[in-house]
Amino acid sequence: MFKQLGLIGCGLMGGSFALAMKQAGLVDRVIGYSKSPSTTEKAKQLGVIDQVAESALLAVSGADVVLLAVPVAATESTFKAIRHLVSPGTLFMDVGSTKRDVVDAARRALKDRIGAFVPAHPIAGKELSGVQHADAQLYREQQVILTPLPQTRPELVEKARALWGALGARVRVMTPEAHDAAFAAVSHFPHLLAFAYFTGILQQEEAEEFLRLAGPGFRDFTRIAASDPAMWRDVLIANREEILKQSEFFRGALGVLEQTLRDCEGDALEALVRGVSEARSHWRMGSGRPR
């Protein structure tokens, strides 16, 4: 049980975390701050936060748990703004989709106070952003990755694990490097691919007619192309090295399929598709390599 949550960033992710803590009876009071005053006012009206803070520092004051739900590019400046109130007894977490850059920013800004920070990445979200879409159930049955540093206080790692677990999440611990490599493959590059694919459609003269004819498959495949532009700009740039590695694997696989089409090798094409189809059929979310 926590006395006060200091929420910095009252959008979808932060708002959902606050609502989930409230619904689970894990916090007495939520103090929220966002750069946009209208966002915090709306969060208060919706019952996401109990009190509006005039600054990030005031949101942290008196809190025993703090969540940074800001764009990854804003992590360092946020930590610099609150550094004087970062104490060993308070749990500090973020929700950033990349971790190496967040960890580096925290090291630069927090210096000897880095032990209070438990980097976190909840694998959850919606294509719709904003506190009005906050959902207390957003993290239930979803994975949350913790990437603690050698300096991170072990008791705070356990506290973070217990907190996310109490919200219904499944918690895993990884290194920041392993995290960024994995999520380049299963999240970041797929978003880049969705953006590129939809762009390719829009560049054609017949785009409007094509889109009018599109069905459920197209809808499902392109859903993530509607994701928040500012957030994904930061994520793609921050993890560009790992994403570009994934692009090479994709180009190789696409090249094989393209050459098979050029050669009209029906049997070879069917074999390639069958192998992928069977692998995908056996895969379940949360499992590893298909058997």
Side-chain angles (χ1 to χ4, degrees), residues 200-222:
I201 297 289
L202 296 178
Q203 289 174 341
Q204 301 178 53
E205 290 184 4
E206 305 91 341
E208 187 173 341
E209 181 65 13
F210 289 167
L211 292 173
R212 189 178 292 116
L213 295 169
F218 180 87
R219 177 200 63 203
D220 295 344
F221 186 81
T222 61

Side-chain angles (χ1 to χ4, degrees), residues 4 17 19 30 36 69 79 95 97 110 112 124 134 166 196 203 211 254 271 280 286:
Q4 183 173 306
F17 184 81
L19 287 178
V30 179
S36 168
F79 270 132
V95 294
S97 297
L110 297 181
D112 59 334
Q203 289 174 341
L211 292 173
L254 182 62
R280 179 60 179 82

